[in-house]
Coordinates of all heavy atoms in Angstrom, one line a residue:
C187 N 0.9 -1.2 0.0 CA 0.0 0.0 0.0 C 0.9 1.2 0.0 O 1.9 1.3 0.7 CB -0.9 -0.1 1.2 SG -1.4 1.4 2.0
A188 N 0.6 2.2 -0.8 CA 1.4 3.4 -1.0 C 1.4 4.2 0.3 O 2.4 4.8 0.7 CB 0.9 4.2 -2.1
F189 N 0.2 4.3 1.0 CA 0.1 5.0 2.2 C 1.0 4.5 3.3 O 1.7 5.2 4.0 CB -1.3 5.1 2.7 CG -1.5 5.9 4.0 CD1 -1.4 7.3 3.9 CD2 -1.7 5.3 5.2 CE1 -1.5 8.0 5.1 CE2 -1.9 6.0 6.4 CZ -1.8 7.4 6.3
G190 N 1.1 3.1 3.4 CA 1.9 2.5 4.4 C 3.4 2.8 4.1 O 4.2 3.0 5.1
K191 N 3.8 2.8 2.9 CA 5.2 3.1 2.5 C 5.5 4.5 2.8 O 6.6 4.8 3.4 CB 5.4 2.8 1.0 CG 6.8 3.0 0.5 CD 6.9 2.7 -1.0 CE 8.3 3.0 -1.4 NZ 8.5 2.8 -2.8
W192 N 4.6 5.4 2.6 CA 4.8 6.8 2.9 C 4.9 7.0 4.4 O 5.8 7.8 4.9 CB 3.6 7.7 2.4 CG 3.8 9.1 2.7 CD1 4.5 10.1 2.0 CD2 3.2 9.8 3.8 NE1 4.4 11.3 2.6 CE2 3.6 11.2 3.7 CE3 2.4 9.4 4.9 CZ2 3.2 12.1 4.7 CZ3 2.0 10.4 5.8 CH2 2.4 11.7 5.7
V193 N 4.1 6.4 5.2 CA 4.2 6.5 6.7 C 5.5 6.0 7.2 O 6.2 6.6 8.0 CB 3.0 5.7 7.4 CG1 3.2 5.7 8.9 CG2 1.7 6.4 7.1
A194 N 6.0 4.8 6.7 CA 7.2 4.3 7.1 C 8.4 5.2 6.7 O 9.3 5.4 7.5 CB 7.4 2.9 6.5
E195 N 8.3 5.7 5.5 CA 9.4 6.6 5.0 C 9.4 7.9 5.9 O 10.4 8.4 6.3 CB 9.1 7.0 3.6 CG 10.3 7.6 2.9 CD 9.9 7.8 1.4 OE1 9.8 6.8 0.7 OE2 9.8 9.0 1.0
Y196 N 8.2 8.5 6.2 CA 8.1 9.7 7.0 C 8.6 9.4 8.4 O 9.3 10.3 9.0 CB 6.7 10.2 7.0 CG 6.5 11.5 7.7 CD1 6.8 12.7 7.1 CD2 6.0 11.5 9.0 CE1 6.7 13.9 7.8 CE2 5.8 12.7 9.7 CZ 6.2 13.8 9.1 OH 6.0 15.0 9.8
Q197 N 8.3 8.3 8.9 CA 8.6 7.9 10.3 C 10.1 7.9 10.5 O 10.6 8.3 11.6 CB 8.0 6.6 10.7 CG 8.3 6.1 12.1 CD 7.7 4.8 12.4 OE1 7.1 4.1 11.5 NE2 7.7 4.4 13.7
Y198 N 10.9 7.4 9.5 CA 12.3 7.3 9.7 C 13.1 8.4 9.0 O 14.3 8.4 9.0 CB 12.8 5.9 9.2 CG 12.2 4.8 10.0 CD1 11.2 4.0 9.5 CD2 12.6 4.5 11.3 CE1 10.6 3.0 10.2 CE2 12.1 3.5 12.0 CZ 11.1 2.7 11.5 OH 10.5 1.7 12.2
R199 N 12.4 9.3 8.4 CA 13.1 10.4 7.7 C 14.1 11.2 8.5 O 15.2 11.4 8.1 CB 12.1 11.3 7.0 CG 12.7 12.4 6.2 CD 11.7 13.3 5.6 NE 10.9 12.5 4.6 CZ 9.7 12.9 4.2 NH1 9.2 14.0 4.7 NH2 9.0 12.1 3.4
S200 N 13.7 11.5 9.7 CA 14.6 12.3 10.6 C 15.8 11.5 11.0 O 16.9 12.1 11.1 CB 13.8 12.9 11.8 OG 13.4 11.8 12.6
Y201 N 15.6 10.2 11.2 CA 16.8 9.4 11.6 C 17.8 9.3 10.4 O 19.0 9.4 10.6 CB 16.3 8.0 12.0 CG 15.5 8.0 13.2 CD1 14.1 7.6 13.1 CD2 16.0 8.2 14.5 CE1 13.3 7.6 14.2 CE2 15.2 8.2 15.6 CZ 13.9 7.9 15.5 OH 13.1 7.9 16.6
I202 N 17.2 9.1 9.2 CA 18.1 9.0 8.0 C 18.8 10.3 7.8 O 20.0 10.4 7.5 CB 17.3 8.5 6.8 CG1 16.8 7.1 7.1 CG2 18.1 8.7 5.5 CD1 15.8 6.6 6.1
N203 N 18.1 11.4 7.9 CA 18.7 12.8 7.7 C 19.8 13.0 8.7 O 20.8 13.6 8.4 CB 17.6 13.9 7.8 CG 16.7 13.9 6.6 OD1 17.1 13.4 5.5 ND2 15.6 14.5 6.7
N204 N 19.6 12.6 10.0 CA 20.7 12.8 11.0 C 21.9 11.9 10.6 O 23.0 12.4 10.8 CB 20.2 12.4 12.4 CG 19.3 13.5 13.0 OD1 19.5 14.7 12.6 ND2 18.5 13.1 13.9
I205 N 21.7 10.7 10.2 CA 22.8 9.9 9.8 C 23.6 10.5 8.6 O 24.8 10.6 8.6 CB 22.3 8.5 9.4 CG1 21.8 7.7 10.6 CG2 23.4 7.7 8.7 CD1 21.1 6.5 10.3
R206 N 22.9 11.0 7.6 CA 23.5 11.7 6.5 C 24.2 13.0 6.9 O 25.3 13.3 6.5 CB 22.5 12.1 5.4 CG 22.0 10.9 4.7 CD 21.0 11.3 3.6 NE 20.5 10.1 2.9 CZ 19.4 10.1 2.2 NH1 18.6 11.2 2.2 NH2 19.0 9.0 1.6
R207 N 23.6 13.7 7.8 CA 24.2 15.0 8.3 C 25.5 14.8 9.1 O 26.4 15.5 9.0 CB 23.2 15.7 9.2 CG 23.6 17.1 9.6 CD 22.5 17.9 10.3 NE 21.8 17.1 11.3 CZ 22.3 17.1 12.6 NH1 23.3 17.8 13.0 NH2 21.6 16.4 13.5
R208 N 25.5 13.7 9.9 CA 26.7 13.4 10.7 C 27.8 12.6 10.0 O 28.8 12.3 10.6 CB 26.2 12.7 12.0 CG 25.4 13.5 12.9 CD 24.9 12.7 14.0 NE 24.0 13.5 14.9 CZ 23.2 13.1 15.8 NH1 23.1 11.8 15.9 NH2 22.5 13.9 16.5
K209 N 27.6 12.3 8.8 CA 28.5 11.5 8.0 C 29.9 12.3 8.0 O 30.0 13.5 7.9 CB 28.1 11.4 6.6 CG 29.0 10.6 5.7 CD 28.5 10.6 4.3 CE 29.6 10.0 3.4 NZ 29.2 10.1 2.0
V210 N 30.9 11.5 8.2 CA 32.3 12.1 8.2 C 32.6 12.8 6.9 O 32.4 12.2 5.9 CB 33.3 11.0 8.6 CG1 34.7 11.6 8.6 CG2 33.0 10.4 9.9
H211 N 33.1 14.0 7.0 CA 33.4 14.7 5.8 C 34.9 14.6 5.5 O 35.7 15.1 6.3 CB 33.0 16.2 5.9 CG 31.6 16.4 6.1 ND1 30.7 16.3 5.0 CD2 30.8 16.7 7.2 CE1 29.5 16.5 5.5 NE2 29.5 16.7 6.8
V212 N 35.3 13.9 4.5 CA 36.7 13.6 4.2 C 37.0 14.2 2.8 O 36.3 13.8 1.9 CB 37.1 12.1 4.3 CG1 38.5 11.9 4.0 CG2 36.7 11.6 5.7
L213 N 38.0 15.0 2.7 CA 38.5 15.5 1.4 C 39.7 14.7 0.9 O 40.3 14.0 1.7 CB 38.9 16.9 1.6 CG 37.8 17.9 2.1 CD1 38.4 19.3 2.3 CD2 36.6 17.9 1.1
S214 N 40.0 14.8 -0.3 CA 41.2 14.2 -0.9 C 42.4 14.8 -0.3 O 42.3 16.0 0.2 CB 41.2 14.3 -2.4 OG 41.5 15.6 -2.7
P215 N 43.5 14.2 -0.3 CA 44.8 14.8 0.3 C 45.1 16.1 -0.3 O 45.5 17.1 0.4 CB 45.8 13.8 0.0 CG 45.1 12.5 0.0 CD 43.8 12.8 -0.7
A216 N 44.9 16.3 -1.6 CA 45.1 17.6 -2.3 C 44.2 18.6 -1.8 O 44.6 19.8 -1.6 CB 45.0 17.4 -3.8
E217 N 42.9 18.3 -1.6 CA 42.0 19.3 -1.1 C 42.2 19.6 0.3 O 42.1 20.8 0.7 CB 40.5 18.7 -1.3 CG 40.1 18.6 -2.7 CD 38.8 17.7 -2.8 OE1 38.6 16.8 -2.0 OE2 38.0 18.0 -3.7
E218 N 42.7 18.7 1.1 CA 43.0 19.0 2.5 C 44.2 19.9 2.6 O 44.2 20.9 3.4 CB 43.3 17.7 3.3 CG 42.2 16.8 3.6 CD 41.3 17.3 4.7 OE1 41.7 18.3 5.4 OE2 40.2 16.7 4.9
K219 N 45.2 19.7 1.7 CA 46.4 20.6 1.7 C 46.0 22.0 1.3 O 46.5 23.0 1.9 CB 47.4 20.0 0.7 CG 48.7 20.7 0.7 CD 49.7 20.0 -0.2 CE 51.0 20.7 -0.3 NZ 52.0 20.1 -1.1
L220 N 45.1 22.1 0.3 CA 44.7 23.4 -0.2 C 43.9 24.1 0.9 O 44.1 25.3 1.1 CB 43.8 23.2 -1.4 CG 43.2 24.5 -2.1 CD1 44.3 25.4 -2.6 CD2 42.3 24.1 -3.2
L221 N 43.0 23.4 1.6 CA 42.2 24.0 2.7 C 43.1 24.5 3.8 O 42.9 25.6 4.4 CB 41.2 23.0 3.2 CG 40.2 23.5 4.1 CD1 39.4 24.7 3.5 CD2 39.2 22.4 4.6
A222 N 44.2 23.7 4.2 CA 45.1 24.1 5.2 C 45.9 25.3 4.8 O 46.1 26.2 5.6 CB 46.1 22.9 5.5
A223 N 46.3 25.4 3.6 CA 47.0 26.6 3.1 C 46.1 27.8 3.1 O 46.6 28.9 3.4 CB 47.6 26.4 1.7
A224 N 44.9 27.7 2.8 CA 43.9 28.8 2.8 C 43.8 29.3 4.2 O 43.6 30.5 4.4 CB 42.6 28.4 2.2
G225 N 43.8 28.5 5.2 CA 43.6 28.9 6.6 C 44.8 29.7 7.0 O 44.6 30.7 7.7
E226 N 46.0 29.4 6.6 CA 47.2 30.2 7.0 C 47.1 31.5 6.3 O 47.4 32.5 6.9 CB 48.5 29.4 6.5 CG 48.7 28.2 7.3 CD 49.9 27.4 6.8 OE1 50.7 28.0 6.0 OE2 50.1 26.2 7.2
V227 N 46.7 31.6 5.1 CA 46.7 32.8 4.3 C 45.6 33.7 4.9 O 45.9 34.9 5.1 CB 46.4 32.6 2.8 CG1 46.1 33.9 2.1 CG2 47.6 31.9 2.2
S228 N 44.5 33.2 5.3 CA 43.4 34.0 5.8 C 43.7 34.6 7.2 O 43.1 35.6 7.6 CB 42.1 33.3 5.8 OG 42.1 32.2 6.7
S229 N 44.6 34.0 7.9 CA 44.9 34.5 9.3 C 46.0 35.5 9.3 O 46.2 36.1 10.3 CB 45.2 33.3 10.2 OG 46.4 32.7 9.8
T230 N 46.7 35.7 8.2 CA 47.9 36.6 8.1 C 47.5 38.0 8.4 O 48.2 38.6 9.2 CB 48.6 36.5 6.7 OG1 49.0 35.1 6.6 CG2 49.7 37.4 6.6
P231 N 46.4 38.6 7.9 CA 46.1 40.0 8.2 C 45.9 40.2 9.7 O 46.3 41.2 10.3 CB 44.8 40.3 7.4 CG 44.9 39.3 6.3 CD 45.5 38.1 6.8
S232 N 45.2 39.3 10.3 CA 44.9 39.3 11.8 C 46.2 39.3 12.5 O 46.4 40.0 13.5 CB 44.0 38.2 12.2 OG 43.8 38.2 13.6
N233 N 47.1 38.4 12.1 CA 48.4 38.3 12.8 C 49.2 39.6 12.7 O 49.9 40.0 13.7 CB 49.2 37.1 12.3 CG 48.6 35.8 12.6 OD1 47.8 35.7 13.5 ND2 49.0 34.7 11.9
V234 N 49.2 40.2 11.5 CA 50.0 41.4 11.3 C 49.4 42.5 12.2 O 50.1 43.3 12.8 CB 50.0 41.8 9.8 CG1 50.6 43.2 9.6 CG2 50.8 40.8 9.0
F235 N 48.1 42.6 12.2 CA 47.4 43.7 13.0 C 47.7 43.5 14.4 O 48.1 44.5 15.1 CB 45.9 43.6 12.8 CG 45.1 44.5 13.7 CD1 45.0 45.8 13.5 CD2 44.6 44.0 14.9 CE1 44.3 46.7 14.3 CE2 43.9 44.8 15.8 CZ 43.8 46.2 15.5
N236 N 47.7 42.3 15.0 CA 48.0 42.0 16.4 C 49.4 42.4 16.7 O 49.7 42.9 17.8 CB 47.6 40.6 16.8 CG 46.1 40.4 16.8 OD1 45.4 41.3 17.0 ND2 45.7 39.1 16.6
A237 N 50.3 42.1 15.8 CA 51.7 42.4 16.1 C 51.9 43.9 16.2 O 52.6 44.3 17.1 CB 52.6 41.8 15.0
F238 N 51.3 44.7 15.3 CA 51.5 46.1 15.4 C 50.7 46.7 16.6 O 51.1 47.6 17.3 CB 51.0 46.8 14.1 CG 52.1 46.7 13.1 CD1 51.9 45.9 12.0 CD2 53.2 47.5 13.2 CE1 52.9 45.8 11.0 CE2 54.2 47.4 12.2 CZ 54.0 46.6 11.1
E239 N 49.5 46.1 16.9 CA 48.7 46.6 18.0 C 49.3 46.4 19.3 O 49.3 47.3 20.2 CB 47.3 45.9 17.9 CG 46.4 46.3 19.1 CD 45.8 47.7 19.0 OE1 45.9 48.3 17.9 OE2 45.3 48.1 20.0
N240 N 50.0 45.3 19.5 CA 50.7 45.0 20.8 C 52.1 45.4 20.8 O 52.8 45.1 21.8 CB 50.5 43.5 21.0 CG 49.1 43.1 21.2 OD1 48.3 43.9 21.7 ND2 48.7 41.9 20.7
A241 N 52.7 46.0 19.8 CA 54.1 46.3 19.8 C 54.5 47.3 20.9 O 55.6 47.2 21.4 CB 54.5 46.9 18.4
D242 N 53.7 48.2 21.2 CA 54.0 49.2 22.2 C 53.4 48.9 23.6 O 53.1 49.8 24.3 CB 53.6 50.6 21.7 CG 54.4 51.0 20.5 OD1 55.5 50.6 20.3 OD2 53.8 51.8 19.7
R243 N 53.1 47.7 23.9 CA 52.5 47.3 25.1 C 53.5 46.6 26.0 O 54.3 45.8 25.6 CB 51.3 46.3 24.9 CG 50.2 46.9 24.0 CD 49.3 47.8 24.8 NE 48.3 48.4 23.9 CZ 47.3 49.1 24.4 NH1 47.2 49.3 25.7 NH2 46.5 49.6 23.6
C244 N 53.3 46.8 27.3 CA 54.1 46.1 28.3 C 53.8 44.6 28.3 O 52.7 44.2 28.3 CB 53.8 46.7 29.7 SG 54.7 45.9 31.1
V245 N 54.9 43.8 28.3 CA 54.6 42.3 28.3 C 54.1 41.9 29.7 O 53.5 40.8 29.7 CB 56.0 41.6 28.0 CG1 56.4 41.9 26.6 CG2 57.1 41.9 29.0
C246 N 54.2 42.6 30.7 CA 53.7 42.2 32.0 C 52.2 42.6 32.2 O 51.4 41.8 32.6 CB 54.5 42.9 33.1 SG 56.2 42.4 33.2
C247 N 51.9 43.9 31.9 CA 50.5 44.4 32.3 C 49.7 44.9 31.1 O 48.5 45.1 31.2 CB 50.6 45.4 33.3 SG 51.5 46.9 32.7
G248 N 50.4 45.1 29.9 CA 49.6 45.6 28.8 C 49.6 47.1 28.6 O 49.0 47.6 27.7
E249 N 50.2 47.8 29.6 CA 50.2 49.3 29.5 C 51.1 49.7 28.3 O 52.0 49.0 27.9 CB 50.7 49.9 30.8 CG 49.8 49.7 32.0 CD 48.5 50.5 31.9 OE1 48.6 51.7 31.5 OE2 47.5 49.9 32.1
I250 N 50.8 50.9 27.8 CA 51.6 51.4 26.7 C 52.9 51.8 27.2 O 53.0 52.5 28.3 CB 50.9 52.6 26.0 CG1 49.6 52.1 25.3 CG2 51.8 53.3 25.0 CD1 48.8 53.2 24.7
V251 N 54.0 51.5 26.6 CA 55.4 51.7 27.1 C 56.1 52.7 26.1 O 55.7 52.8 24.9 CB 56.2 50.4 27.2 CG1 55.5 49.5 28.3 CG2 56.3 49.7 25.9
P252 N 57.1 53.3 26.6 CA 57.9 54.2 25.7 C 58.6 53.4 24.6 O 58.8 52.2 24.8 CB 59.0 54.8 26.7 CG 58.4 54.7 28.0 CD 57.6 53.4 28.0
E253 N 58.9 54.0 23.5 CA 59.5 53.3 22.4 C 60.8 52.7 22.7 O 61.6 53.2 23.5 CB 59.7 54.3 21.3 CG 60.2 53.7 20.0 CD 60.3 54.7 18.8 OE1 59.6 55.7 18.9 OE2 61.1 54.5 17.9
G254 N 61.0 51.4 22.3 CA 62.2 50.7 22.5 C 62.2 49.9 23.8 O 63.2 49.3 24.1
R255 N 61.2 49.9 24.6 CA 61.1 49.2 25.8 C 60.1 48.1 25.8 O 59.2 48.1 25.0 CB 60.8 50.1 27.0 CG 61.8 51.3 27.1 CD 61.4 52.2 28.2 NE 61.7 51.5 29.5 CZ 61.8 52.1 30.6 NH1 61.7 53.4 30.7 NH2 62.1 51.4 31.7
Q256 N 60.3 47.1 26.6 CA 59.3 46.0 26.6 C 58.4 46.0 27.9 O 57.4 45.4 27.9 CB 60.1 44.6 26.6 CG 60.7 44.4 25.2 CD 61.3 43.0 25.1 OE1 61.6 42.4 26.1 NE2 61.4 42.5 23.9
V257 N 58.9 46.7 28.9 CA 58.1 46.7 30.1 C 57.9 48.2 30.5 O 58.7 49.0 30.2 CB 58.7 45.9 31.3 CG1 58.7 44.5 31.0 CG2 60.1 46.4 31.6
C258 N 56.8 48.5 31.2 CA 56.5 49.9 31.6 C 57.4 50.2 32.8 O 57.9 49.3 33.5 CB 55.1 50.1 32.0 SG 54.5 49.2 33.4
P259 N 57.6 51.4 33.1 CA 58.5 51.8 34.3 C 58.0 51.2 35.6 O 58.8 50.8 36.5 CB 58.4 53.3 34.3 CG 58.1 53.7 32.9 CD 57.3 52.6 32.4
G260 N 56.7 51.1 35.8 CA 56.1 50.5 37.0 C 56.5 49.1 37.2 O 56.8 48.6 38.3
C261 N 56.4 48.3 36.1 CA 56.7 46.9 36.2 C 58.2 46.7 36.4 O 58.7 45.8 37.0 CB 56.3 46.1 35.0 SG 54.5 45.9 34.9
E262 N 59.0 47.6 35.7 CA 60.5 47.5 35.8 C 61.0 47.7 37.2 O 61.9 47.1 37.7 CB 61.1 48.6 34.8 CG 62.5 48.4 34.6 CD 63.0 49.3 33.5 OE1 62.9 50.5 33.6 OE2 63.4 48.7 32.4
T263 N 60.3 48.7 37.9 CA 60.8 48.9 39.3 C 60.1 48.0 40.3 O 60.4 48.0 41.5 CB 60.5 50.4 39.7 OG1 59.1 50.6 39.6 CG2 61.2 51.3 38.8
G264 N 59.0 47.3 39.8 CA 58.3 46.4 40.7 C 57.4 47.2 41.7 O 56.9 46.7 42.7
G265 N 57.0 48.4 41.3 CA 56.2 49.2 42.2 C 54.9 49.7 41.6 O 54.0 48.8 41.4
D266 N 54.8 50.9 41.3 CA 53.5 51.6 41.0 C 53.0 51.4 39.6 O 52.9 52.3 38.8 CB 53.6 53.1 41.4 CG 54.8 53.7 40.6 OD1 55.6 53.0 40.0 OD2 54.8 55.0 40.6
C267 N 52.7 50.2 39.3 CA 52.1 49.9 37.9 C 50.6 49.9 38.0 O 50.0 49.3 38.9 CB 52.7 48.5 37.4 SG 52.0 48.1 35.8
D268 N 50.0 50.5 37.0 CA 48.5 50.6 37.0 C 47.9 49.3 36.4 O 46.7 49.1 36.6 CB 48.0 51.8 36.2 CG 48.4 53.1 36.8 OD1 48.6 53.1 38.1 OD2 48.5 54.1 36.1
G269 N 48.7 48.5 35.7 CA 48.1 47.3 35.1 C 48.0 46.2 36.0 O 47.4 45.5 36.6

């Protein structure tokens, strides 16, 4: 009976869809390599921005430091640091 077949198909449709949705997605080695390279390229602008953004920051507390220094005067003396 066509109705019985439709009911059985409808009853298990969500289970079958979940199995298909959860199927492991595997790419060919060439595609995996390409995808990995694209990830590195797409993160480069962010890495460059962060390097320049944090260049003038104290490595201890994050306060802005004078040019050519890595720590603020407060952290260097171990005293009155606001960070």
